[in-house]
Amino acid sequence: MRKTLKSGIFSMGLLLCLNCAIHIPAHAAEDGTDLNLTTFTGDWNGQRQTWLDQGISLDFTHRSDIVRNQNGGIATGTRWLSYTDARIRLDLNKMMGWEGWTVYTQYHSELGGKPNIKKVGSFVGVDNIEVKTNTAQFSELWLEKSMLDDRLAVLVGLYAVDSEFYVTESTGVFLQPAMGMNISFGQTGKNGPPIYPMASFGTRLRYKSADKNSYVQIALLDGVPGDPANPRGSHIKFEKGDGVLLMAEAGHVGEKPGGDDKAINKTAIGMWRYSANYDDLSSLDGNGKRLQRKNFGWYALAERTLLPKAGHPGQGLQGFLRFGTAQKDINQSDWSVNLGLNYVGLFDGRAEDQLALGMTYAHASEKYRKLNKADNFESIVEATYKIQVRPWLVIQPVVQCVFNPNMDANLKKAWVLSLRTEVAF
């Protein structure tokens, strides 16, 4: 325990000290950002910008979390965990003259303890970088071709659906995993769904309207990501019975509130379905075996800038609402909802800080309740303030209250305190 605390505190202290880093002469990226200001390691004496001009984009991120379960749940205690990734994007038009072609890869690794698995016991989860098995693997590795002035795009390769499906900008600030991919879908799959930390091999097709404000996208992927027998590393393995996952979404980005180009106004609906059969939670067939059923669900989401901050693009009060369902005879939860508020730039001079309050509610399916004598639901309320200390450094304290952890009547309400440090290298 002491070693865990010391490691986490040392990590954050070291990162805070990096504020004193020596300034390197500036170079501007394509979008006008200064790589020496937005990344800790800077522009590498101009080499990074040179590569970017040639179509090679390199990004590196490290997150370090200290999570304490103050009371309730499985047990009180503190755990430290971390996440590090490298992202490479190749613009093949700049590199080779292949118009519309892009290669992208993201490689990540995790270290540290398991605060939810060992201490809290939440069904929803309390930290979005906690994984069952610490390893290093690809979360994405794909090739994409864009056509018709970027209105039509076809992607093939290792793909994680939470990179483009069920995405809401305003929920990205929260630590609980269900604010990324909703738990209604996040609970599914024979080895989990193709979302962080594992991707599946397949394809995605996206089409945008002429004004690019409306879109339809469809993904068809291997139904079992990775290798269930080997959780370490990256694997593409097609087994009999894996089936496929079909996911589709249609959305519209409406008029920007207050005329702010950086404001948000998105509405979308979607569905998902596995082709493979899954065991019913309790019902048996005539031979005494579990009934076999298809796993499917649908979802809807909306987010909007409710109160734009005049004269401050991208700032103001944002609100979101997301609802999703899952097959009631197979899954622990048959529907769930996320809702909340996020204020960007509440205080003058703190344009990128975010103050947010959000809630996730996961309803227990009837068969799961009866089979496990479970509570009717689990709910998490989360409050957080994301502090942009430097363009490359974030410090974020978080408080979460977990009601009915894992819908287990024997687990008491848990209070969870977290502190995240994030560095862009």
Side-chain angles (χ1 to χ4, degrees):
M1 179 67 70
R2 290 181 179 177
K3 289 183 178 179
T4 298
L5 279 171
K6 287 180 180 178
S7 297
I9 293 170
F10 174 78
S11 175
M12 288 189 300
L14 176 61
L15 293 171
L16 285 170
C17 290
L18 297 180
N19 287 307
C20 299
I22 298 174
H23 176 72
I24 305 173
H27 295 269
E30 285 185 324
D31 59 1
T33 58
D34 185 343
L35 291 170
N36 288 312
L37 295 178
T38 58
T39 62
F40 170 65
T41 58
D43 193 22
W44 306 346
N45 292 321
Q47 184 60 63
R48 206 166 178 176
Q49 180 63 47
T50 299
W51 285 338
L52 189 60
D53 293 338
Q54 295 170 351
I56 305 171
S57 174
L58 305 176
D59 295 287
F60 308 92
T61 301
H62 175 79
R63 298 186 184 105
S64 182
D65 294 353
I66 293 179
V67 182
R68 175 168 179 78
N69 184 29
Q70 187 64 25
N71 59 13
I74 298 172
T76 60
T78 305
R79 289 290 185 269
W80 168 84
L81 63 162
S82 73
Y83 163 93
T84 304
D85 76 5
R87 304 178 303 283
I88 303 174
R89 184 180 296 273
L90 306 179
D91 183 339
L92 299 188
N93 184 34
K94 289 184 177 181
M95 295 179 67
M96 306 172 67
W98 294 5
E99 184 176 357
W101 288 93
T102 302
V103 173
Y104 178 79
T105 184
Q106 182 176 17
Y107 191 78
H108 63 85
S109 67
E110 294 81 22
L111 296 172
K114 312 296 177 189
N116 184 57
I117 295 173
K118 298 295 185 180
K119 298 297 181 182
V120 182
S122 167
F123 166 65
V124 173
V126 297
D127 195 297
N128 54 19
I129 65 171
E130 180 177 350
V131 294
K132 291 181 180 179
T133 303
N134 289 341
T135 187
Q137 61 187 320
F138 288 99
S139 54
E140 296 201 77
L141 178 58
W142 46 255
L143 173 68
E144 183 182 51
K145 168 63 175 176
S146 296
M147 298 162 278
L148 303 178
D149 190 29
D150 292 331
R151 291 175 57 196
L152 177 64
V154 181
L155 176 153
V156 177
L158 275 176
Y159 178 72
V161 294
D162 55 342
S163 63
E164 294 181 313
F165 288 79
Y166 223 132
V167 173
T168 40
E169 179 183 336
S170 54
T171 60
V173 66
F174 295 98
L175 258 65
Q176 54 176 291
M179 288 296 189
M181 177 54 70
N182 184 285
I183 191 62
S184 58
F185 178 69
Q187 68 182 326
T188 67
K190 296 181 178 180
N191 195 32
I195 62 175
Y196 171 81
M198 274 192 298
S200 276
F201 187 86
T203 184
R204 186 268 292 140
L205 174 70
R206 183 179 64 239
Y207 181 78
K208 295 181 180 180
S209 60
D211 60 7
K212 298 185 180 179
N213 289 331
S214 300
Y215 67 91
V216 176
Q217 56 189 19
I218 300 173
L220 191 65
L221 304 164
D222 179 18
V224 180
D227 180 1
N230 184 4
R232 300 187 182 278
S234 299
H235 306 275
I236 299 176
K237 190 174 184 179
F238 303 105
E239 293 282 359
K240 184 178 180 180
D242 282 2
V244 297
L245 167 67
L246 171 66
M247 198 162 191
E249 181 178 299
H252 177 71
V253 177
E255 183 179 348
K256 301 292 188 178
D260 178 2
D261 288 340
K262 293 185 178 181
I264 56 175
N265 185 8
K266 177 182 177 180
T267 306
I269 58 173
M271 59 77 63
W272 52 270
R273 181 182 179 90
Y274 291 92
S275 67
N277 290 323
Y278 286 77
D279 288 343
D280 187 287
L281 285 170
S282 58
S283 297
L284 305 178
D285 61 20
N287 296 318
K289 297 182 179 180
R290 294 283 181 89
L291 280 176
Q292 298 296 293
R293 300 185 185 276
K294 301 298 183 182
N295 204 357
F296 58 88
W298 63 270
Y299 60 90
L301 60 88
E303 63 174 345
R304 182 181 174 89
T305 299
L306 304 173
L307 295 172
K309 193 172 181 180
H312 299 275
Q315 299 182 44
L317 181 64
Q318 304 170 347
F320 62 88
L321 175 63
R322 315 191 314 170
F323 178 84
T325 71
Q327 219 283 352
K328 62 183 178 62
D329 298 307
I330 295 174
N331 300 289
Q332 180 172 340
S333 174
D334 53 3
W335 61 267
S336 60
V337 62
N338 313 109
L339 59 89
L341 299 169
N342 181 13
Y343 201 109
V344 181
L346 178 62
F347 304 110
D348 291 341
R350 306 297 309 169
E352 297 183 37
D353 286 6
Q354 299 181 53
L355 175 64
L357 178 66
M359 185 273 289
T360 294
Y361 180 98
H363 180 262
S365 63
E366 182 178 0
K367 286 186 177 180
Y368 182 84
R369 285 200 312 271
K370 291 180 178 180
L371 188 64
N372 297 278
K373 298 180 180 180
D375 286 321
N376 292 329
F377 70 95
E378 176 184 307
S379 181
I380 298 183
V381 177
E382 178 177 349
T384 184
Y385 187 73
K386 184 176 180 179
I387 308 166
Q388 195 75 45
V389 182
R390 291 287 186 272
W392 50 267
L393 175 63
V394 166
I395 303 293
Q396 183 177 354
V398 180
V399 178
Q400 297 179 73
C401 184
V402 184
F403 299 89
N404 300 331
N406 201 34
M407 306 167 189
D408 188 337
N410 297 315
L411 295 181
K412 295 181 179 180
K413 174 178 64 179
W415 283 94
V416 182
L417 309 176
S418 305
L419 184 62
R420 167 166 289 181
T421 305
E422 181 172 335
V423 179
F425 287 94

